[in-house]
């Protein structure tokens, strides 16, 4: 666990279960609505979760990098219908077509830079979150989803060969429950894995 991740886990005293109980969808099933979370509590929990998911996806993708190459994956895709082009709005303003390993390298570097930016994602008590915090956090999660989608569509055979499918499925299940509970990714962005999402979430209903 990184130093920042450790600090965030110490800072966020609210449990995931408590956070879920405050969401509209859960509250509607349990009678009177619970006390709403403060904005700062939610932001710190969201940030801590983003750090965890980033670390998980980084490790999962790291296990299949030998199979995800410039030759095997000349474009960043999630099946034949979905192709992703990279732009970060700063260094690369106009979306560019690139290989999957290049795209994911850009993506992971960009996410790390965002998470390390104390002005955007503060880990210290008393430092306010910037107004664009939620927008950036949603973009991080949307882009991390694309790595899951690429792995499932293009490299699941390799994941099974490495006997890593249980880890991948567990990580993605936690990710999808989290982003759906708080509407953090638009439904259309989840389309590449919609069938899998329905299977994973239906089992727990």
């Amino acid at each position: 666990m990184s130093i920042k991740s450790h600090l965030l886990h110490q800072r966020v005293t609210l449990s995931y279960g408590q956070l879920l109980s405050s969401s509209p969808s859960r509250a509607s099933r349990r009678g009177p609505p619970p006390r709403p979370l403060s904005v700062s509590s939610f932001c710190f929990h969201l940030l801590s979760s983003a750090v965890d998911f980033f670390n998980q996806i980084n490790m999962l993708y790291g296990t299949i990098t030998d199979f995800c190459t410039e030759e095997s994956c000349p474009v960043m895709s999630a099946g034949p219908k979905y192709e992703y082009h990279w732009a970060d709005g700063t260094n690369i303003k106009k979306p560019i077509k690139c290989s999957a390993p290049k795209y994911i390298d850009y993506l992971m570097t960009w996410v790390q830079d965002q998470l390390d930016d104390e002005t955007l994602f503060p880990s210290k008590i008393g430092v306010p979150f910037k107004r664009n915090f939620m927008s950036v956090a949603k973009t991080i999660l949307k882009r991390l989803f694309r790595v899951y989608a690429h792995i499932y569509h293009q490299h699941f055979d390799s994941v099974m060969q490495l006997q890593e499918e249980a880890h991948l499925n567990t990580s993605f299940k936690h990710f999808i429950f989290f982003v759906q509970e708080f509407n953090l990714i638009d439904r259309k962005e989840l389309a590449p894995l919609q069938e899998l999402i329905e299977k994973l979430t239906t089992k727990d209903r």
Side-chain angles (χ1 to χ4, degrees):
M1 181 182 291
S2 68
I3 294 175
K4 182 157 191 174
S5 180
H6 178 68
L7 288 171
L8 288 170
H9 277 289
Q10 287 186 320
R11 179 69 184 87
V12 181
T13 57
L14 199 66
S15 72
Y16 183 57
Q18 288 174 304
L19 187 64
L20 289 180
S21 71
S22 298
S23 71
S25 61
R26 292 295 175 93
S28 63
R29 302 174 209 161
R30 300 183 179 181
R35 223 169 147 187
L37 292 171
S38 69
V39 173
S40 62
S41 292
F42 177 78
C43 288
F44 269 113
H45 188 85
L46 176 54
L47 174 53
S48 177
S49 297
V51 170
D52 283 344
F53 289 128
F54 170 70
N55 289 334
Q56 288 178 34
I57 296 170
N58 225 346
M59 288 188 288
L60 286 166
Y61 179 70
T63 66
I64 55 97
T65 52
D66 287 344
F67 307 101
C68 186
T69 66
E70 299 281 338
E71 292 73 28
S72 66
C73 302
V75 296
M76 175 62 177
S77 62
K81 295 182 180 179
Y82 302 95
E83 184 175 306
Y84 303 113
H85 295 178
W86 178 257
D88 58 21
T90 305
N91 297 317
I92 302 175
K93 296 184 178 181
K94 184 178 180 180
I96 61 170
K97 185 175 182 177
C98 57
S99 67
K102 191 66 176 176
Y103 183 100
I104 294 173
D105 182 57
Y106 280 136
L107 188 157
M108 293 301 188
T109 300
W110 178 82
V111 172
Q112 186 70 67
D113 288 344
Q114 306 311 301
L115 295 176
D116 287 344
D117 186 348
E118 283 289 324
T119 66
L120 183 61
F121 294 115
S123 59
K124 296 180 180 178
I125 298 173
V127 179
F129 286 88
K130 295 177 74 172
R131 289 186 178 183
N132 65 334
F133 165 82
M134 186 59 71
S135 174
V136 176
K138 285 183 175 182
T139 300
I140 288 173
L141 293 169
K142 177 182 70 176
R143 290 177 171 175
L144 291 178
F145 168 81
R146 294 174 179 178
V147 183
Y148 279 119
H150 179 73
I151 293 173
Y152 272 111
H153 276 281
Q154 312 303 135
H155 300 293
F156 194 66
D157 286 346
S158 299
V159 171
M160 292 184 67
Q161 180 183 337
L162 295 168
Q163 298 183 332
E164 292 289 338
E165 65 268 27
H167 294 106
L168 175 61
N169 289 338
T170 298
S171 175
F172 181 65
K173 187 174 183 179
H174 290 165
F175 177 87
I176 208 63
F177 272 131
F178 183 76
V179 299
Q180 285 190 328
E181 192 70 38
F182 303 106
N183 299 313
L184 298 171
I185 301 179
D186 289 342
R187 184 179 176 83
K188 64 180 181 180
E189 290 285 345
L190 301 175
L193 293 179
Q194 191 56 48
E195 185 177 346
L196 174 63
I197 291 169
E198 289 176 2
K199 288 181 180 178
L200 291 176
T201 56
T202 298
K203 289 179 181 179
D204 280 21
R205 285 175 186 167

